[in-house]
């Protein structure tokens, strides 16, 4: 029998009616054996995510403010799920322990993780599946990074003996038992690790949209859906802001070649998007698969005559960035110029000192700083073989009267990146989208 790992996001488990949809989905295919839930998300646009409320509880405790009101709200949400589903399950017993732990100074990771923990307990009870506490199978190092090898073997060992289980997403524990979480949205990563550890046939990621769209629907009306995309294309797009899946969720399954299917809990009949191996022969190479981008970058442009023959020039700049703990996104270069594209948040309060140090170490002819830049990525695995793709992008931008401030084509030749002013960002995405549709 095939094995499918299914991860359900917060909106898919926000209340009892969503739980019912989830059960129907799981029971409609017995290959769906391992289920990874998020914490209850928002039921409507004015609602709160349980994870946010749990962080709030922790913040209240740390500042000595009573967290009773917030905690009661959390309690109500879980109790109404349990009651509406008619479960014979005492959720209050677990909530009481968590409340006490928080009062006694439990960490913020512990607080946040309880959203998934409680949802996992409820879902396991509702499905009649075994509950596996993620603290026993997601193993973190003391520095809060994941111990991938230990996690893989703990999962493998545990799941080889259990045929149907619920494993809450988002958290694990270090070797001393301290709870550690992934970054926000990290249940996607848990699902990917579970799938990889048992070499699943498919990793389904259920959310509230029917897969990826070619562009952000807040910018483009009814953008086309993407039915198939390769891991590499998706990595380029999600890194540039197209968010449906946590970016770290791609690596574990990509390594072992497990396809991911993004599905919509509210429209299970929709096919969603399949994310597949780069070498999947069944795909015809699309010139442009998707367009995504982000605002608020600064470009530092450095020029020096004969830079190309000066040994160690870029190394000196890179060391300065490293010493200041600044990571850069792109580094386009010419013979006598090099640019560093850096997110504004990375440069906060460091811009002047970094520029001074570069001047001192490299003695450049000029350094220019261009703030308020947005980066737009046009991604497609077929563009390397398709003449005129870049021309089409640049013509579209020029027709829309957008000044291109920077151009970079990744070495994979499946991404053409342009830098434009922040104010031109939405107009730029629309111009490129319309040129290819
Ligand atoms: N509940 C966590 C969050 O809101 C993790 C997740 O949903 O994946 O970030």
């Amino acid at each position: 029998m095939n094995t499918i790992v299914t991860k359900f996001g917060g909106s898919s488990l926000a209340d009892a009616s969503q739980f019912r949809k989830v059960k129907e989905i799981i029971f409609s295919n017995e290959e769906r054996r391992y289920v990874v839930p998020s914490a209850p998300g928002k039921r409507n646009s004015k609602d709160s995510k349980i994870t946010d409320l749990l962080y709030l509880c922790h913040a209240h405790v740390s500042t000595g403010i009573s967290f009773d009101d917030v905690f009661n709200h959390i309690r109500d949400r879980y109790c109404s799920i349990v009651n509406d589903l008619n479960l014979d399950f005492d959720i209050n017993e677990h909530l009481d322990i968590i409340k006490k732990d928080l009062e006694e100074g439990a960490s913020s990771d512990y607080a946040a993780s309880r959203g998934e923990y409680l949802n996992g307990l409820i879902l396991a009870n509702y499905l009649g599946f075994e509950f596996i506490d993620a603290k026993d199978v997601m193993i973190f190092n003391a520095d809060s990074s994941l111990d991938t090898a230990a996690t893989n073997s703990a999962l493998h060992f545990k799941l080889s003996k259990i045929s149907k289980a619920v494993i809450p997403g988002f958290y694990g524990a270090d070797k001393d038992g301290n709870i550690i979480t992934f970054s926000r949205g990290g249940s996607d990563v848990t699902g990917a690790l579970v799938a990889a550890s048992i070499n699943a046939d498919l990793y389904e990621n259920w959310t509230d949209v029917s897969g990826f769209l070619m562009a952000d629907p807040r910018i483009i009306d009814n953008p086309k859906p993407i039915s198939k995309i390769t891991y590499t294309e998706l990595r380029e797009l999600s890194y540039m802001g197209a968010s449906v899946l946590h970016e770290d969720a791609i690596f574990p399954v990509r390594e072992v070649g497990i396809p991911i299917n993004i599905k919509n809990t509210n429209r299970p009949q929709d096919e969603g998007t399949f994310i597949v191996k780069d070498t999947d022969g069944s795909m015809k190479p699309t010139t442009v698969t998707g367009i995504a981008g982000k605002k608020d970058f600064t470009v530092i442009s450095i020029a020096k005559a004969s830079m190309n023959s000066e040994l160690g020039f870029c190394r000196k700049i890179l060391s300065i960035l490293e010493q200041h703990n600044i990571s850069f996104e792109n580094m386009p270069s010419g013979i006598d110029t090099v640019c560093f594209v850096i997110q504004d948040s990375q440069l906060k309060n460091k811009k002047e000192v970094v520029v001074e140090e570069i001047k001192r170490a490299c003695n450049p002819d000029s350094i220019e700083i261009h703030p308020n830049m947005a980066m737009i990525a046009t991604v497609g695995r077929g563009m390397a073989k398709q003449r005129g793709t870049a021309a089409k992008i640049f013509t579209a931008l020029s027709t829309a009267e957008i000044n291109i401030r920077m151009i970079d084509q990744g070495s994979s030749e499946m991404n053409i990146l342009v830098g434009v002013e922040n104010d031109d960002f939405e107009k730029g995405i629309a111009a490129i989208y319309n040129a290819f549709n």
Side-chain angles (χ1 to χ4, degrees):
M1 185 172 62
N2 283 346
T3 298
I4 302 174
V5 171
T6 53
K7 179 259 167 180
F8 288 90
S11 59
S12 301
L13 292 164
D15 59 21
S17 70
Q18 292 299 87
F19 266 72
R20 287 194 193 96
K21 292 182 192 168
V22 165
K23 184 174 187 172
E24 207 176 311
I25 289 166
I26 293 170
F27 283 10
S28 68
N29 184 347
E30 59 173 335
E31 293 174 351
R32 296 191 172 115
R33 293 171 50 204
Y34 300 113
V35 184
V36 175
S38 285
K42 294 183 180 188
R43 293 161 294 184
N44 53 59
S45 58
K46 294 200 178 76
D47 201 13
S48 307
K49 287 181 167 193
I50 289 288
T51 311
D52 292 333
L53 297 176
L54 287 161
Y55 277 123
L56 194 59
C57 285
H58 180 264
H60 277 26
V61 179
S62 319
T63 44
I65 303 171
S66 159
F67 70 101
D68 284 358
D69 285 350
V70 190
F71 198 82
N72 285 339
H73 186 55
I74 296 172
R75 191 186 286 277
D76 288 348
R77 292 247 347 232
Y78 281 110
C79 285
S80 75
I81 294 174
V82 170
N83 294 337
D84 291 354
L85 294 176
N86 286 322
L87 297 180
D88 182 17
F89 177 66
D90 187 3
I91 190 78
N92 276 308
E93 185 191 323
H94 297 278
L95 283 156
D96 291 342
I97 296 172
I98 293 167
K99 181 151 195 251
K100 189 158 170 288
D101 288 342
L102 289 173
E103 280 161 354
E104 287 172 0
S107 70
S108 105
D109 278 12
Y110 170 86
S113 73
R114 297 304 89 183
E116 272 69 12
Y117 172 78
L118 292 168
N119 236 18
L121 286 171
I122 298 173
L123 188 61
N125 184 286
Y126 184 46
L127 298 173
F129 283 17
E130 190 149 334
F131 174 79
I132 297 177
D133 193 340
K135 79 172 169 39
D136 301 325
V137 282
M138 294 283 147
I139 317 292
F140 284 81
N141 295 307
D143 65 0
S144 297
S145 61
L146 185 79
D147 184 336
T148 318
T151 297
N152 200 47
S153 60
L155 277 167
H156 193 81
F157 180 72
K158 191 92 181 174
L159 298 181
S160 61
K161 293 180 292 188
I162 301 173
S163 75
K164 301 216 164 175
V166 171
I167 308 119
F170 189 41
Y171 72 93
D174 65 17
K175 282 140 199 151
D176 296 327
N178 300 307
I179 298 291
I180 314 275
T181 60
F182 291 108
S183 57
R184 295 299 304 265
S187 301
D188 287 342
V189 186
T190 308
L193 290 164
V194 171
S197 75
I198 48 158
N199 207 359
D201 297 278
L202 181 63
Y203 171 32
E204 285 180 345
N205 194 294
W206 292 81
T207 169
D208 53 6
V209 290
S210 295
F212 283 93
L213 301 169
M214 257 192 92
D216 187 335
R218 288 167 301 187
I219 300 176
I220 307 289
D221 276 344
N222 284 323
K224 285 192 182 156
I226 301 175
S227 60
K228 257 190 187 184
I229 185 170
T230 63
Y231 297 121
T232 311
E233 287 172 304
L234 181 64
R235 167 86 184 120
E236 301 270 4
L237 283 174
S238 40
Y239 155 77
M240 264 297 139
S243 59
V244 167
L245 196 65
H246 191 295
E247 30 176 296
D248 293 342
I250 299 170
F251 297 111
V253 278
R254 174 188 191 153
E255 239 167 56
V256 281
I258 300 169
I260 309 173
N261 189 193
I262 308 287
K263 296 273 289 175
N264 187 347
T265 302
N266 306 316
R267 290 184 56 87
Q269 69 279 17
D270 290 353
E271 258 199 35
T273 300
F274 274 92
I275 306 160
V276 297
K277 276 195 285 203
D278 301 329
T279 50
D280 187 307
S282 69
M283 300 170 72
K284 69 171 188 330
T286 44
T287 309
V288 171
T289 307
I291 304 149
K294 278 199 244 180
K295 284 185 175 177
D296 298 329
F297 289 91
T298 294
V299 176
I300 304 183
S301 270
I302 302 155
K304 185 171 188 184
S306 305
M307 179 191 288
N308 62 328
S309 56
E310 187 175 326
L311 277 181
F313 189 87
C314 283
R315 180 187 45 75
K316 288 182 208 157
I317 304 172
L318 291 171
S319 314
I320 293 168
L321 294 179
E322 187 177 350
Q323 276 154 22
H324 287 279
N325 215 6
I326 295 170
S327 62
F328 67 92
E329 307 293 314
N330 300 86
M331 187 181 142
S333 64
I335 299 179
D336 289 337
T337 57
V338 60
C339 294
F340 292 86
V341 182
I342 302 172
Q343 273 182 7
D344 285 352
S345 54
Q346 290 278 322
L347 273 177
K348 230 185 204 155
N349 306 327
K350 296 179 184 166
K351 213 181 287 177
E352 284 74 23
V353 48
V354 165
V355 168
E356 272 319 303
E357 286 185 25
I358 296 176
K359 277 187 189 159
R360 223 175 308 134
C362 305
N363 195 23
D365 296 337
S366 69
I367 299 192
E368 282 175 28
I369 309 283
H370 305 281
N372 304 323
M373 296 272 290
M375 307 298 290
I376 301 176
T378 307
V379 175
R381 61 195 172 278
M383 70 170 59
K385 293 208 175 76
Q386 184 66 46
R387 251 181 293 145
T389 310
K392 217 162 158 179
I393 295 172
F394 302 144
T395 308
L397 292 172
S398 127
T399 311
E401 296 185 351
I402 294 170
N403 189 13
I404 303 174
R405 305 288 307 272
M406 201 211 78
I407 301 167
D408 191 14
Q409 181 170 22
S411 47
S412 61
E413 279 193 65
M414 62 163 71
N415 184 4
I416 296 176
L417 203 60
V418 291
V420 300
E421 301 285 342
N422 269 345
D423 288 346
D424 286 333
F425 177 68
E426 286 83 4
K427 207 162 68 158
I429 293 211
I432 299 173
Y433 180 85
N434 292 330
F436 287 92
N437 286 289

